[in-house]
Amino acid sequence: MPPTFDLLVIGDANPDVILGPLDAPLAFDQREQLVGTGVLTLGGSGAIMACGAARLGLRVAFAGLVGDDDAGRYVRDTLAARGVDTAALRMDPGLPTPLTVVITREGDRAILTAPGTLAATTAEDVPERLLTGSRHVHAASYFLMPELAGALPGLFRTARAHGATTSLDTNDDPTGRWDPAGLAAVLAETGILLPNAHEARHLAAGAALSPRAGALSPRAGAEPAGSLETAAAALAARGPLVVVKNGADGALCHDGRTLVTTAGIVVTPADTVGAGDSFDAGFVAATLNGMPVEGALEFAAVCGALSTRAHGGTTAQPTWDEAAAHITRNGENRR
């Protein structure tokens, strides 16, 4: 029997409140500051990636946990409106839906998240029928859901045993520890690792440490030394294809032997919220459609760039034809 879904996304889903750009330091003492734009939109790395993949034409299911509240219903209804199957999005009657506030400033952003149901999300929230009935399984926000993170190697093993491929976008670790032992276990079952440049350096530094030595990763906020290419190669040595998002500098990919890079395309962003998740969707969709790594990397970079044309992570996500047209145009401009 053919798979029911092209893609199962396991991860976080929440409303995002995006405010900015802030042109001064964030003030307390009950000061009120004005910004140019405020948007309420669907957020969460997993949810944005799922929407991007559906927009690109994949059959997508989402598994996760939100609260049985207005915010949770907003998440469920918005995912469904964007073509994502939400039958496995469980609504908890006792915990609130996560909520994130994003404050943008000069091309950067601060992210404040009230975790709500995130810490309570477990393997029980991921139906086996979806693991065994999907071509690809993607997990997001590894460090925000510790119970689910511990079970993720087993979930990936189940999916792979039934012919699925797997991918992981860990996102940032608010604790700054980067969980070297847990990371080693999940990377062994991960086909594609999709960090950004900051995350790749921290993940590589953590992966290089000996658990028996009891060493910790570099402190939160400290950027490990070394080139991005070296970090990608170190992570690829653990097994996965490593695909690193590097903002306006494009992206790179390392399989343990060969480095591939792309400059992407130039856009004028409204904001960059969710661009990495749209990149993830592009890379997975391109790979599932049989595109080679070089083409998938360029396609993903275009998807990420185009998603920044409007505020919020999902508003400007491209269709397959739109992304392909920009690749063709970019290629003609390089001649």
Side-chain angles (χ1 to χ4, degrees), residues 128-144:
E128 186 172 355
R129 63 178 175 79
L130 293 180
L131 292 170
T132 62
S134 300
R135 295 172 61 201
H136 185 91
V137 177
H138 175 81
S141 294
Y142 175 89
F143 297 109
L144 295 183

Side-chain angles (χ1 to χ4, degrees), residues 116-227:
T117 54
L118 290 177
T121 308
T122 71
E124 298 300 315
D125 297 305
V126 185
E128 186 172 355
R129 63 178 175 79
L130 293 180
L131 292 170
T132 62
S134 300
R135 295 172 61 201
H136 185 91
V137 177
H138 175 81
S141 294
Y142 175 89
F143 297 109
L144 295 183
M145 295 176 286
E147 291 293 327
L148 183 63
L152 197 57
L155 296 176
F156 274 6
R157 274 194 297 274
T158 297
R160 294 176 69 188
H162 288 82
T165 48
T166 58
S167 59
L168 172 66
D169 187 344
T170 66
N171 302 107
D172 191 36
D173 182 3
T175 71
R177 291 191 290 266
W178 299 92
D179 187 21
L183 179 67
V186 75
L187 288 188
E189 304 295 340
T190 299
I192 306 168
L193 180 65
L194 292 152
N196 65 24
H198 168 83
E199 294 153 3
R201 289 189 174 97
H202 280 282
L203 292 168
L209 298 173
S210 167
R212 284 192 292 182
L216 294 177
S217 301
R219 69 184 185 279
E223 190 79 12
S227 72

